[in-house]
Structures are given as C-alpha cells and as structure tokens.
Amino acid sequence: MASRSLLARRFARCSTVLALVVHCGSALAAPKLQGIGEAALGYTDNVQTAPQTSLPGDTTRTSAALLMLSPGVLLAWQSARVIQRIGYQYEHDFFFAEAASNSSANRLEYQGFFDLSPRVALVLGAGITESNRYASLNMLPPGVAEVSALPVGAQTFLQGNADETLYFDVARNWRAWQGGNVLYETPIFKTQAPQTSGVGARTGLERLFRRDAVGSEARANYTVVRDAIGVDGLPRETQQQLVFTAVGTWRHDWSTLFASSAEAGALRVQRFNTGRGAWYPTGTASLFYTQRVGDAQLSYTHTVTTNALLGQSLLVDEIRLRGGVPLTRRGDVVLASNLAFQYGRLIDENAELAARVNVLQGDVLLGWQATEILQLGVRYQHIEQISDATTAPLPLSFVQNSALVGATIKLPPDRDMPRAYRAARRVDGQDEIRDAAQPDSQLEPIGD
C-alpha cells in the first residue's frame, strides 16, 4: 500500500505540473475546439481473440458483424512559441451476434511544445487509456501504436504514461538532449493480470554537419511488475528489472525527400530478484520519406522491450513499414498503413531467453476526403500471434482479421486547427512540423 500511495503522489505532482503548463499556454493564445465523430460498420472473424488451440473454460472462436461509434473532442492552443493539444476519444464496439462481447475504450491525450529560448525547446506528452481486449480495432490510426504481443480474451485495464524531452543547442553545430518517461498499467474491474510500472531516462549529444550527424545516447529503464507471471505460467513474486543501454548514432540526409538514421551499441538486463543479468547487442536502422503532406518509415530494430499488458520483457527483432501518403495531387485520397513483423523471446527472471512470441500485424486504411469536414474510409486489419507458450495469461497463438467501412466528421476541419508538433528527423530540420500563429516579435520571451 505504501508503494501505491507513493505512486499516487507522484502522479498528483505530474498532474499539477501539467495543469500549470496548460494554463501557461492558454494565456498566450485563444484555444480552438474541434468536434470529432466517427462511425463504421465492419466484421471480425475472432471477436474475443480466442487462441487457436482451445483451453479449458475458454470460449471458442466466433465471428460477428459490428458497429463502431467513436465521438471525440480536441482542444488546441497555438502561438509562435507554444503549441498544445488535448484530445479525448471514446470508442464503443457493438457486436451484433455476440452482445456479451460489446466493448468500449476511453483515451485522453496531451501534447505540448514550448520554445523556451532560441537554444532550448521542451516537448511534453501524456496519455491515459481505459480499455479491454475485446475491442477488435485500435482507435489510433495505423502505425501510431507500438507493435506488441497481446493477451487473449477479455482484459480490462487502465494505463497512464507521460514523457518529456528537452533539447539544447549547446554550441554551433552541437546539440544535446535529455528525456524522461513514466508508465503505469493496472488491471481493473476484477481482471486478474500483472500490474506494471516503470520509469526511464535518456541523455545524448550530437555533432551536426551539412548532411550528417553523429553522436551517442545513454538510456536507463527501471520496471516493477506486481502479481507477476513467470515464463512457465506460474505466479512469481514482485519482479524488478533495470535495462541500461548505450549506443552510437548516425543520421544522414540523402535527398530532399529521403533521410536515414542508425544506432548500434549494447544493453544490460539486470534482474534484482535473482541478481542475474545478461548483455545483448542492440541496434536500429531507419529510412524516412517525408514531404509537405505525408510521411513513411521503414525500420529494423533489435532490442529489449517491456510489454506492460503482459508484464513481460522480451528480446525482439522487429521490421516495420508505416506511414501515410497522399495518392493524388490534391491530397484528397490518402493511404495509411502499418505492416510489421516482430520476432520475440521472453526473458525469464534469470535474464535468460525462454518462450518464442512472434507477432505479425497488417493495418491498412484507404481514406477519401469527400469534403472539408467529411472523410470516408475502408480499413483492414490482420493480427497473427505465434507463441510457444501454452498457458494463459502468457501470450498464446491466435489469428484475427477485421474490416471496417466508415466515415469521420471533423468540425471545424483539420486545416483550421494547429497541427501536432513533430520533431525533425532530418539533419537539416526541414521535416519539423511546427505551425506558428504569429511572429516571435509579438511575444515576450519565455526565457533565455
């Protein structure tokens, strides 16, 4: 109970800081409010993500038509130095032949960008999600959510996360950054599942050239899993783990449309319960495509990650193609997709590799902007999970296919709203998304 009280106090402090930041931004510019409404008809062939091999007491795999309704609202502030967005979205899925499996999800998100001085910028993000695993489609657009293994059946959970990144131009052609993040995930409504909390930090330094940037970064992530489940499916005591990573980085601009980034190094997984640990190589290579409207990314990653829903850590190899690009010159027809394959191995309490968990995801959306406020779309999603585990709540093998035809209305249209801030991936910074409402000369400086 003491640890939960401490965590609650930390979240209260974070909420206070967030409220002060929002108040500061609201004083600089009048907010803009956007209403969002989405409705779709669809079909899924596995309502409850039932495993391929039926388990005692589990329901069998069933298919059903569904109606998805998702209202939402977005509040945004914008000035020359501040961009803030707060959005809420609710989704409810009605399964016509499986009323007991009707599901809902709530998500509240915040993003803020603050140009604190000519050399210092701050980016903040936070989100709270309440959902269950009966939901067949993710309310996020394709490619936004992380690729991860899923528990089968219904699991209602509450998840909160927050992150910050502070960028410094320390000298001419030298850039440094510092970041941190917190995560808390807990089952609710009598769901029996692990509870995961974690905190992370990173810092780095980079030297910029005309088309290249080289540097290094260090990261540390500490995770605590209560009501943990071992890789054999049996209960374990509270698990504590620290992952420390050190990498060298390189970025390169190939042309006005293409850029790349790469990193390579090593990481250490340390399990405090057993005093055991292991070293693993880590690396990432990414190719980016960016234009005025739309972007895409092809990436490969080898690293250790923690799955908060499962309460498990995995060593993964992941290849992913994601993005959204216009198919017409006017930009009224858009293709958004996320194609990913993840090969993973569970890491046990002795930091040794255990059961295999592979995830294949395909999510494609074809959208047509019929009017300024109305978008029509067709979406298809395929999720296939292949696992050596045979005991729930470990990730089991299942296949799910879903399809939706729907419409989205936004009032006012997106063009009248400040866009979400996106940090530059290119060395020259030309792909940064940062809308300015007025010249800097009309604002008092926020700091030095």
Side-chain angles (χ1 to χ4, degrees), residues 87-109:
Y88 167 75
Q89 187 175 2
Y90 172 76
E91 178 181 323
H92 198 104
D93 295 336
F94 299 89
F95 295 94
F96 295 123
E98 291 287 333
S101 298
N102 289 349
S103 63
S104 64
N106 294 272
R107 182 168 180 83
L108 179 67
E109 284 190 306

Side-chain angles (χ1 to χ4, degrees), residues 71-294:
V73 64
L74 174 65
L75 188 65
W77 294 266
Q78 177 193 41
S79 71
R81 288 191 170 183
V82 176
I83 302 172
Q84 295 189 97
R85 291 161 60 97
I86 299 177
Y88 167 75
Q89 187 175 2
Y90 172 76
E91 178 181 323
H92 198 104
D93 295 336
F94 299 89
F95 295 94
F96 295 123
E98 291 287 333
S101 298
N102 289 349
S103 63
S104 64
N106 294 272
R107 182 168 180 83
L108 179 67
E109 284 190 306
Y110 168 79
Q111 186 197 57
F113 168 80
F114 302 86
D115 190 0
L116 302 180
S117 78
R119 290 191 173 188
V120 182
L122 173 66
V123 179
L124 299 177
I128 300 175
T129 300
E130 179 273 324
S131 182
N132 62 55
R133 297 317 312 168
Y134 277 164
S136 60
L137 292 172
N138 196 316
M139 63 169 63
L140 298 175
V144 175
E146 296 296 324
V147 180
S148 61
L150 299 174
V152 299
Q155 178 176 314
T156 306
F157 66 91
L158 178 68
Q159 184 178 98
N161 61 82
D163 60 82
E164 61 83 18
T165 304
L166 196 62
Y167 297 97
F168 308 86
D169 291 330
V170 294
R172 180 178 175 84
N173 296 327
W174 286 91
R175 187 185 71 148
W177 60 90
Q178 172 275 327
N181 66 278
V182 294
L183 169 70
Y184 180 70
E185 187 277 332
T186 183
I188 55 177
F189 303 139
K190 299 182 180 180
T191 297
Q192 299 298 316
Q195 179 191 93
T196 305
S197 57
V199 59
R202 64 189 183 97
T203 184
L205 180 67
E206 191 175 53
R207 172 67 162 92
L208 303 176
F209 300 92
R210 192 167 73 91
R211 290 189 175 182
D212 296 273
V214 295
S216 61
E217 182 173 280
R219 310 172 193 134
N221 291 276
Y222 175 69
T223 306
V224 177
V225 181
R226 297 174 177 84
D227 299 322
I229 302 296
V231 296
D232 55 4
L234 299 178
R236 291 287 192 276
E237 62 179 340
T238 297
Q239 299 292 300
Q240 300 178 66
Q241 173 182 280
L242 176 66
V243 179
F244 178 77
T245 306
V247 296
T249 63
W250 171 57
R251 296 190 295 143
H252 179 74
D253 293 345
W254 297 96
S255 68
T256 57
L257 295 178
F258 290 93
S260 65
S261 67
E263 65 177 45
L267 61 83
R268 172 75 177 182
V269 178
Q270 186 65 41
R271 292 280 191 163
F272 292 104
N273 301 77
T274 59
R276 302 290 297 274
W279 289 94
Y280 296 101
T282 183
T284 298
S286 301
L287 178 65
F288 304 101
Y289 168 81
T290 57
Q291 57 176 355
R292 186 179 60 85
V293 179

Side-chain angles (χ1 to χ4, degrees), residues 11-83:
F11 268 103
R13 294 187 191 119
C14 292
S15 300
T16 302
V17 173
L18 180 59
L20 291 173
V21 169
V22 171
H23 176 74
C24 175
S26 62
L28 294 176
K32 293 184 178 181
L33 182 66
Q34 181 185 58
I36 304 170
E38 184 176 357
L41 285 171
Y43 170 86
T44 180
D45 64 358
N46 192 351
V47 174
Q48 301 174 8
T49 59
Q52 291 178 309
T53 301
S54 297
L55 299 176
D58 285 351
T59 56
T60 58
R61 175 172 173 169
T62 58
S63 60
L66 65 95
L67 170 66
M68 188 274 286
L69 299 176
S70 179
V73 64
L74 174 65
L75 188 65
W77 294 266
Q78 177 193 41
S79 71
R81 288 191 170 183
V82 176
I83 302 172

Side-chain angles (χ1 to χ4, degrees), residues 419-430:
R419 293 181 296 173
Y421 173 79
R422 185 184 73 190
R425 298 164 178 162
R426 296 176 55 86
V427 178
D428 60 16
Q430 295 300 309

